[in-house]
Amino acid sequence: MEKYELQKLRELPIEGVAERLGLRVKMHKALCPFHNDHHASMSFKVSKNTYRCFVCGASGGPIDLVMKYLNKDFLDACRWLADEHNMIVSSFRVQDSDVQPKPFDAKRYERFFDRPWLNDEARRFLYEERKLDPRVVAWCQLTSWKDKLGVPWLQIPYYNREGKLIGVQNRNLVKGGSPRFRFPQGAECNIYNLPVLNLLKSGETLFITEGCSDCWAMLSAGHKAIAIPSATLLKRKDAALLRELTSEMQITIGMYPDNDTPGERLFLQLKEVLPNLVRHQLPVGCKDFSDYYLTKIRKEAGHG
């Protein structure tokens, strides 16, 4: 793993990590899971991005918290954090600093997306579980494959605005399967669905979603959308591109933040980079836009 990638894991908001682990954080405190706690003795110091229990002495940063809570070693904890936050890391093996990483081999993968093929697991996931519009699946050129162990994977291509393949994200279709995501070496998977920018018209709204699944739901709902893994992975050049589109084409950039603390934090981080970002509120009971989309689909089907 590269040093800068490890640093991004260490910079993940400690309270957000705690909440993803299932801890209930309130006023920067939580019940300590490492002893029989009844008085919220675990404290979070946001300024230093650390936690500490003043009873049992447990302390550390995001990686330490995952290691201790899930009983994982360092690399497995890093892998869990990367999967949970849709973060892309080049490798979980220590790399020789003198060895240059290989560039992404687009030619090796292009042929898979020329004629996309969906196995039964992928069709079930996309059409039965996610209720996606087949036109969206075709536009995104989603395909599937199975590894030597028979594990089904959804293969998701990332293109730049000019339509050049720059990365591939493989999503494990086994519920609870690990690892959740796999990325070829050198893949650039920061902003998803960049070609949609070429279809924007003056005055339209472009939505930013967190992760591909919400992006597919947004597209299936008839909106134009892109996706990012997290605010910390939004490159300066990409943020500049979005700001240029806002001013030159007078488009609006909107977002439905997830109905939780990490979702709110992501929106606020993006708001700092994109001051004109417009907030859209999810209905009560919907955790993210995918959930909202499925709720609407089920209601429409019920009325039909």
Side-chain angles (χ1 to χ4, degrees), residues 1-197:
M1 190 190 312
E2 300 286 351
K3 289 182 179 180
Y4 77 91
E5 294 172 332
L6 182 58
Q7 186 61 31
K8 285 185 180 297
L9 294 178
R10 287 174 171 156
E11 291 174 353
L12 288 170
I14 186 69
E15 292 184 347
V17 171
E19 287 170 339
R20 285 181 182 267
L21 287 168
L23 302 183
R24 184 179 180 183
V25 181
K26 187 176 182 180
M27 301 295 291
H28 308 301
K29 292 185 177 182
L31 292 173
C32 179
F34 307 126
H35 73 279
N36 189 19
D37 191 13
H38 299 284
H39 302 288
S41 54
M42 178 176 281
S43 178
F44 299 92
K45 196 163 188 177
V46 178
S47 61
K48 292 188 177 181
N49 208 37
T50 58
Y51 77 94
R52 182 180 180 183
C53 176
F54 291 95
V55 175
C56 70
S59 64
I63 299 176
D64 303 294
L65 180 59
V66 173
M67 288 175 64
K68 189 171 181 64
Y69 188 86
L70 298 179
N71 193 29
K72 292 180 177 290
D73 61 24
F74 181 80
L75 291 181
D76 281 343
C78 288
R79 182 179 291 110
W80 185 90
L81 278 169
D83 284 350
E84 282 294 309
H85 293 81
N86 290 340
M87 292 179 64
I88 301 149
V89 291
S90 57
S91 172
F92 285 99
R93 296 185 297 273
V94 177
Q95 296 181 350
D96 188 336
S97 59
D98 296 329
V99 177
Q100 294 296 322
K102 294 181 180 179
F104 175 65
D105 186 2
K107 291 184 178 179
R108 177 181 176 185
Y109 297 94
E110 285 172 345
R111 59 190 178 91
F112 298 123
F113 305 110
D114 288 338
R115 295 182 178 179
W117 172 78
L118 299 175
N119 54 33
D120 291 339
E121 292 85 354
R123 288 182 174 277
R124 188 179 307 114
F125 174 74
L126 297 171
Y127 297 133
E128 296 180 20
E129 295 179 20
R130 298 286 175 167
K131 306 293 184 184
L132 300 180
D133 189 321
R135 292 172 295 181
V136 170
V137 174
W139 161 262
C140 295
Q141 295 180 266
L142 303 178
T143 189
S144 59
W145 63 288
K146 289 188 178 182
D147 62 23
K148 294 180 179 178
L149 298 177
V151 176
W153 296 84
L154 184 68
Q155 202 162 39
I156 306 162
Y158 280 66
Y159 297 96
N160 63 16
R161 191 174 180 181
E162 291 70 38
K164 178 183 177 182
L165 184 67
I166 57 175
V168 173
Q169 176 183 4
N170 293 287
R171 176 174 181 145
N172 195 327
L173 292 176
V174 176
K175 289 186 177 181
S178 181
R180 187 180 176 191
F181 300 107
R182 285 169 56 178
F183 302 89
Q185 190 171 36
E188 294 183 36
C189 302
N190 290 311
I191 293 191
Y192 177 70
N193 198 35
L194 280 173
V196 79
L197 300 182

Side-chain angles (χ1 to χ4, degrees), residues 257-288:
D258 289 0
N259 263 335
D260 55 20
T261 300
E264 182 64 24
R265 186 178 293 115
L266 173 61
F267 174 79
L268 293 176
Q269 289 175 326
L270 284 174
K271 186 74 173 177
E272 293 179 2
V273 181
L274 303 168
N276 295 324
L277 181 64
V278 177
R279 179 194 182 97
H280 295 261
Q281 187 64 48
L282 289 169
V284 176
C286 293
K287 60 181 181 179
D288 53 30

Side-chain angles (χ1 to χ4, degrees), residues 237-249:
K237 65 175 184 179
D238 294 326
L241 171 61
L242 294 176
R243 286 195 295 268
E244 288 174 10
L245 287 171
T246 304
S247 58
E248 292 178 6
M249 299 183 62

